[in-house]
């Protein structure tokens, strides 16, 4: 018999009647990821636990375990060993499967669950038997019912018994797709991959938009953004990156607008274009990696001016976070090393020497008055290149 993976479901079990949809979404997301883990897995949910069961020798359980730790909606993940429904087979499975944990712990307890009521011992009797045997077999271990170093879990189900040790933390959050769809503005920096990850964690499925200023920014800079999207896919699932040709807009702004407004106007164009992409793909919100006060275009007044070009809600999940906090998450989700690669960003190329810190909406509109805003947006949207990023393609 093979090892099986258990996902403990989090918040979503609180969702009352909607719970079934949450479980279905989580299982669907899990099944998609498992397609990349060798053979076929069976995925099903019972009593707030999703079971991921390998059905063929070709199943890569290690890879599946790593993949399941990145499924939003699960608060805990553990590997479990299946064995025969016989008390001594269970004892042998515990001793073999949990050998390193049993050696490291000083105190332990055994918790049993019996969903197969035909099994001759009840949960308490089984726990007493296994606890007694383990206590005897490992002189360094003492039973502790309240704060044990190690809890040995044994579950007797219809088809087999399962043993496992402590549960590792899962990704938390809500299953991707439950909250709808949003367009995330992905630059090559540290903040926007973190912002994207945070909103995917709240159950949004993402479409990425990247503004590309060739030849001011290089092919490598674009590839870096595609790599960042690839690094997010273990959490978000496959992604489409809409690469928007942005050079013409930037050149037009430089030609015909006051320099101090350059950044804020450019960001207004980004929002307009992202909103059009949202409209095309059926997304209902925009996401940015803006953090209050971090740079000139991220003052409250500037955010008011950029947000004013669209009716869509704009989610800025890192708005109240310090750089340190954002960096900590970016390290955790493995995007940091790629984010700090030194390629030019479309914003840094054209940065004005003295950007307007507190622009007003009226000033922005006046500065844009001579532009064919609609025509510029339409041309950019028509030039979009859609790049598909499969799961784990970094
Ligand atoms: P980041 O680390 O995410 O690049 P930042 O601190 O460099 O953020 P800005 O460059 O002002 O800040 O960008 C603010 C936000 O605008 C970004 O987080 C991102 O959501 C969006 N953005 C900026 N440049 C681009 C771009 N070239 N393509 C797509 N989105 C962008
Ligand atoms: Mg940036």
């Amino acid at each position: 018999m093979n090892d099986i993976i258990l996902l403990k479901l989090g918040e979503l079990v609180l969702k009352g009647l909607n719970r079934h949809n949450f479980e279905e979404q989580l299982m669907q997301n899990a099944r998609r990821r498992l397609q990349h883990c060798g053979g076929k897995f069976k995925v099903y949910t019972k009593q707030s636990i999703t079971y991921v069961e390998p059905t063929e020798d070709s199943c890569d359980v290690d890879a599946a375990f790593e993949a399941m730790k990145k499924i939003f909606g699960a608060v805990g993940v553990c590997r479990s060993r299946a064995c025969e429904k016989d008390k001594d087979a269970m004892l042998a499975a515990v001793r073999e499967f949990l050998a390193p944990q049993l050696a490291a712990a000083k105190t332990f307890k055994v918790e049993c669950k019996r969903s197969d009521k035909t099994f001759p011992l009840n949960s308490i009797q089984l726990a007493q038997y296994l606890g007694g045997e383990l206590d005897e077999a490992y002189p360094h271990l003492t039973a502790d019912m309240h704060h044990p170093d190690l809890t040995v879990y044994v579950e007797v189900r219809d088809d087999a018994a399962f043993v496992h040790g402590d549960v590792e933390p899962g990704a938390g959050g809500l299953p991707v797709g439950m909250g709808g769809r949003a367009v995330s503005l992905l630059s090559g920096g540290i903040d926007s991959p973190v912002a994207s990850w945070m909103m995917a964690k709240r159950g949004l499925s993402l479409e990425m938009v990247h503004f590309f200023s060739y030849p001011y920014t290089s092919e490598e800079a674009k590839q870096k953004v595609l790599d960042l999207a690839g690094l997010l896919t273990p959490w978000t699932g496959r992604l489409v990156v809409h690469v928007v040709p942005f050079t013409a807009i930037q050149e037009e702004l430089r030609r015909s607008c006051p320099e101090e407004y350059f950044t804020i106007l450019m960001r207004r164009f980004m929002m307009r274009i992202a909103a059009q992409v949202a409209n095309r793909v059926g997304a209902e919100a925009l996401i940015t990696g803006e953090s209050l006060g971090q740079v000139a275009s991220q003052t409250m007044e500037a955010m008011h001016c950029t947000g004013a070009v669209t009716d869509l809600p704009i989610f800025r999940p890192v708005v109240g976070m310090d750089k340190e906090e954002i960096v900590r998450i970016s390290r955790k989700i493995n995007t940091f090393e790629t984010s700090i690669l030194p390629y030019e960003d479309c914003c840094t190329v054209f940065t004005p020497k003295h950007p307007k810190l507190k622009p007003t909406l009226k000033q922005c509109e006046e500065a844009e008055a001579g532009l064919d805003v609609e025509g510029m947006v339409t041309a950019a949207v028509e030039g979009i290149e859609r790049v598909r990023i499969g799961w784990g393609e970094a």
Side-chain angles (χ1 to χ4, degrees), residues 187-190 345 347:
S187 68
I190 294 170
D345 178 79
C347 303

Side-chain angles (χ1 to χ4, degrees), residues 185-187 189-192 209-211 267 288-289 294 298 346:
L185 285 77
L186 186 65
S187 68
I190 294 170
D191 306 332
S192 49
V209 169
H210 176 65
F211 299 93
R267 304 195 56 74
T288 78
Q294 201 185 77
Q298 299 180 14
C346 73

